Amino acid sequence: MSSRKDQKQANRMVREQLAKEQRRRATVWISVAAVAALLVAGVIGYGVFASQRTGEVFTPTAATADGSGFAVGTGPVTVDVYEDFMCPACGQFESGAAATIDQLVKDAKVTVVYHPIAILDRFSQGTDYSTRASGAAACAADGGTFAEYHSVLFQNRPEENTPGLDDDKLISLGTGLGLGDSFTQCVKDGRYKTWSAQITDKASERGVTGTPTVLVAGTVLQDRSATGLTTAVESAVK
């Protein structure tokens, strides 16, 4: 009887030991998974941080071949539009010519290449709004909604000598268009800040000295009214 009791006790001790070992292993694997997740997050975060410190440029996947802008439309005449999202004159151009541009695109007459450069950071009270807005537009382009986001940014264009829209507002404008978590993280990380600086420098090298600068088939558009734009495109087609 005593022997049988001792055997039961021994079996119970073995089971308890096995259970402890299983719990220990589970704890180890949970810890390993948590550390791995932290390492991945750290690598991604450091990649963005390092790119901003070293000047490494992430080019948006939706950018044109030269990486300097975003194309809308597939027409034979190229219209290059250099804009700053804080620029009052750019806002006037958009309000006056946007419908005409949309129609020209719809009629397959033009390919409009928007270059969201940042030359007015000094007028945003230290928040670098022009750069942040340009970068946010690039994030939206990655999500396939550049044209829509470009439009909503000008609808909410802040005045010069103000802080501009904060990142939360830039994000909410995008989520209102259906953009998701990747867009939100892209804006928060400032992924395309160095890209914005690069295309601004590239615009300067091309002779762009102010915004808006509009070129139709490579020629600077002097009359930036809807009529002037239509006339220039029709002339380029001929």
Side-chain angles (χ1 to χ4, degrees):
M1 189 74 177
S2 177
S3 176
R4 188 177 299 174
K5 183 177 180 181
D6 290 343
Q7 184 62 45
K8 288 183 177 179
Q9 185 176 2
N11 289 341
R12 186 177 69 253
M13 291 177 66
V14 170
R15 288 196 298 271
E16 289 175 352
Q17 188 62 35
L18 289 173
K20 287 181 180 179
E21 181 62 20
Q22 288 176 344
R23 288 195 297 270
R24 185 188 70 80
R25 289 180 180 178
T27 300
V28 169
W29 280 112
I30 290 172
S31 298
V32 169
V35 169
L38 287 172
L39 285 173
V40 170
V43 168
I44 294 173
Y46 179 76
V48 174
F49 172 74
S51 72
Q52 293 176 4
R53 288 196 63 183
T54 63
E56 181 183 355
V57 177
F58 292 113
T59 301
T61 56
T64 51
D66 67 355
S68 72
F70 303 103
V72 178
T74 57
V77 178
T78 298
V79 178
D80 288 283
V81 181
Y82 292 86
E83 296 177 309
D84 184 303
F85 287 115
M86 184 172 258
C87 165
C90 297
Q92 293 172 3
F93 171 72
E94 285 296 325
S95 62
T100 298
I101 291 176
D102 290 345
Q103 189 61 50
L104 290 170
V105 168
K106 183 178 179 180
D107 293 341
K109 291 184 178 180
V110 300
T111 297
V112 185
V113 181
Y114 290 98
H115 307 269
I117 63 176
I119 63 173
L120 297 178
D121 278 341
R122 64 189 185 280
F123 294 119
S124 59
Q125 298 184 0
T127 72
D128 292 336
Y129 174 72
S130 296
T131 292
R132 291 188 296 107
S134 171
C139 293
D142 279 351
T145 59
F146 171 79
E148 296 85 349
Y149 194 73
H150 166 274
S151 177
V152 80
L153 276 181
F154 274 113
Q155 290 170 16
N156 290 270
R157 183 189 65 80
E159 295 298 326
E160 290 180 327
N161 298 310
T162 70
L165 311 181
D166 61 21
D167 285 351
D168 287 342
K169 180 62 175 179
L170 291 174
I171 289 169
S172 70
L173 291 177
T175 55
L177 297 172
L179 291 165
D181 292 342
S182 59
F183 166 78
T184 296
Q185 196 61 49
C186 181
V187 175
K188 286 183 176 179
D189 289 343
R191 180 176 179 81
Y192 294 123
K193 284 184 178 180
T194 50
W195 173 81
S196 297
Q198 183 190 66
I199 66 166
T200 300
D201 290 342
K202 186 175 292 187
S204 179
E205 292 169 2
R206 293 175 176 175
V208 175
T209 58
T211 53
T213 292
V214 182
L215 294 87
V216 176
T219 300
V220 175
L221 180 67
Q222 300 298 334
D223 179 1
R224 295 194 297 262
S225 66
T227 300
L229 176 60
T230 301
T231 300
V233 169
E234 292 176 347
S235 178
V237 170
K238 296 177 182 178

